[in-house]
Amino acid sequence: MVRQFLVGTAVVVVLVLVALTTFGWFTARRPLPELSGEVQLEGLGSDVRVSRDAQGVPQIYADSAEDLFRAQGYVHAQDRFFEMDYRRHVTAGRLAELVGNNEDAIQADMVIRTFGWRHVAEEEFNVLDDSTRQYLQAYADGVNAYLAGRSPSETAVEYTVLDVSVEVNEPEPWDPIDSLAWLKAMAWDLRGNYDDELDRALAYSTLGDASRVAELFPAFSGTGNTPILDPADVGTGQATQQSQATQTASATGDVYGSPELAQAMEAAQRALDSVPVQIARGEGTGSNSWAVSGKYTESGKPLLANDPHLDLAAPGIWAQVGLHCNQVGPECPFDVSGFSFSGFPGVVIGHNADLAWGLTNMGADVTDFFIERVRNDTYLRGADEWVPMEKETEVIRVDGGSPIDLEVRRTVHGPIISSVMDEADMDAVRRSPTETGTELGQYEISLQWTALQPGRTADAVFAMNTAKTPADMKAAAALFEVPAQNIVFATTDGHIGYQAPGKIPVRASVPGAVESDGSWPRPGWDARYDWTGFVPQEQMPGVVDPAEGYIVAANQAVLPGGEGPFLTRDWDYGYRSERIRTLLGDQIAEGRKLTAADMTTIQTDQWSVFADTLVPVLLEVDLPDGYESDGQDLLADWDRSMDADSAPAAYFAAVWRNLLQITFNDELPESMWPDGGSRWLAVIQGMLDNPNDEFWDDKSTVAVVESRDQVLTEALTSARQDLTVELGKDTSDWEWGTLHQLRLEHLVLGGSGVPAPIAFYMNPAPTKVGGGSSIVNATAWDASSDSFEVTSGPSMRMVVDLADLDASTWVVVTGTSAHPASAHYDDQLAAWAAGETFPWPFSRDAVAAAQENELILTP
């Protein structure tokens, strides 16, 4: 995972001294912003008031929308400018200009320049509403007003550190395009099933059997879990595309058996892995959200809960904020509070005076990889037409290094990504026809992605901020093109609803050839596999006030297979959503009305469906009494809750990890070794009833054919031994939280290549947590590694009480500030880890009562 970059060896001596002197203390505190008093801000039409509470959350009050967003830009720059600057360097493919001559940074720049995120953002600015462009410009003006007259060291301590090893220049003025380019990074991390698409092809390269590949990607319907919507509520017809049940025996064909194609796929995977994580990646990328009708709540009005599961770093991804027009009306329509992205105006998730909304990743298939036949910078279309590629040269500038000329090549589908980074990758896929023995050229991989076309997601953000009714939210969703998200909402007048937005490709069904539903890479030379359009917005699933009285959207299938437009076959398998539905349904069945506190309790539930499925089977395994069965004995009376202080939880996690590694690592390429997420539970569930399934056999032991029970025995005994080494021989000393810790790292200065005193200063202290993968409290970890450390989790938690908005609660994983010297850098971490939240004032009176500081921005 690319996130930290080596600062340079010269920094070691200098920064140890800096960290240990009074000068170092002054340097760290120098960028802290003014939170009280009066400050002039160029461009304002009238005074703006910024009120902050005990957590430092800004509530901004202005007379005009332009002043509101100008002030938001100023406040974001006060609190988080380095984070903003880092992000814009990433999204522009200019990271090496910021962090220096670092291989990871250069490779990231090469791939992102190949994608062309910033070029798309420049086109996107021209298709947005005039008002959105005005808001983006006002926001940029506010950022620049803060930067004016300040040196880099006065805006963030990170510049002081970087200045030891690279040349730190004055930050460039913020531009509206910087904000729009950030939306591309967000969309990339939440793009859907591209990992599964590549994994199917890579798995076939080692398994050589389409049916065995299919076993690794079971259908959502096989879990028995419930989709988000009931077709009876939605009134959908049949699928407009190939359903997830459609498969063809020739899906793999001779193409997928080619070693040259496997090389190209692996090169493409390496390129994609080089893109720095901005929001999330891999197992655990998801979210929980639900809305409950007032007929089931104590207040008689709806409740709404949301907790997006994303990458966790320091600072956290969300900047809490309130944006309030002093007089709400057509000229200044905003009275909204919630979670924003620093670098972008408005609120992404939250509520206004009339409506609350939450987002979860829908996981729709919006990316396709195309297998291209390439010969001398031409690519094959049809039987024998060789079409010239589009080519352009991008210049990557490196602080402390020479510029790099990068040739970007594109086909009709999109950029070529399999030969971006280094000569080894190029050699693998760009050999001459005489070398490969074919006149059809070499294999390369191109990427088609909806976000590489200009869209109107920025318009959607402001439309959601001002939505009052379900119809307003539906209209806003129609603009929210990428990333495709589930929108759950509730209104103060008693409605709950769901709407699926997104720009979803339509793919033609091509019988007798490779899978044409986007689940496998597609042959680029055959035009039958090209996208034929996009699902009309009026066909996207949605519902208002469903008969069941609650809606749960936690990344599971939107509708049963075969209903509505085809969105993807690669959903989260629904174990989190099913647990939430069970907890809500049980309390409703008991006749107990739900409260906001109940929503928070559900958000922190740690019951494991993995354990509930596997423990009965594990207890049947016959182990010798004593040492080897000590761990197994812990499982007998366990309540299946992955609590931080639980010994059986620690043992079970080790068994699950070892079970997956023993079962699959011998046959799959390393890039798709099981991460332990919901798909792998669905796979194991399908195998438990077949003790002789071929995957149970360890192919590395040629003389022996292992069965299920042998693998389970080895997983149990090896887990006992592993935890003896890691936690001690006495099982009563074991705790899940000792293994499962959240170690937040700074975006740039927190990794292993950074001198220890600086990393210690920039990184919050490690925190023991409970939870785990596919648990409602979804603190995911990677079973393909030897570590149980948290890889992603609830980036925030919010509960909105539509009966009394001031009774709503929220928390983020770190704090509002990105300055490590600030009291608000990580002051919410302990509450977050304990499952606690803070009051969320909204009304003018509640904000005034909570006020700790007040800053007046004057023209």
Side-chain angles (χ1 to χ4, degrees), residues 682-700:
V683 171
I684 290 293
Q685 281 181 316
M687 293 170 55
L688 286 175
D689 291 333
N690 183 3
N692 297 310
D693 187 292
E694 193 171 350
F695 279 115
W696 294 124
D697 179 35
D698 183 353
K699 301 302 183 185
S700 65

Side-chain angles (χ1 to χ4, degrees), residues 623-640:
L623 296 178
D625 291 339
Y627 175 83
E628 290 190 356
S629 63
D630 281 349
Q632 186 187 42
D633 292 343
L634 294 172
L635 303 178
D637 298 318
W638 181 35
D639 63 2
R640 316 293 200 257

Side-chain angles (χ1 to χ4, degrees), residues 159-206:
Y159 293 116
T160 302
V161 176
L162 288 171
D163 196 38
V164 175
S165 58
V166 301
E167 183 178 352
V168 174
N169 300 310
E170 296 292 321
E172 296 176 5
W174 193 264
D175 187 276
I177 307 305
D178 296 329
S179 297
L180 292 177
W182 164 245
L183 295 180
K184 301 303 168 188
M186 177 183 72
W188 178 248
D189 280 4
L190 301 176
R191 62 202 169 276
N193 81 328
Y194 103 68
D195 291 307
D196 290 342
E197 187 176 337
L198 278 184
D199 281 351
R200 284 184 174 92
L202 289 171
Y204 185 80
S205 71
T206 60

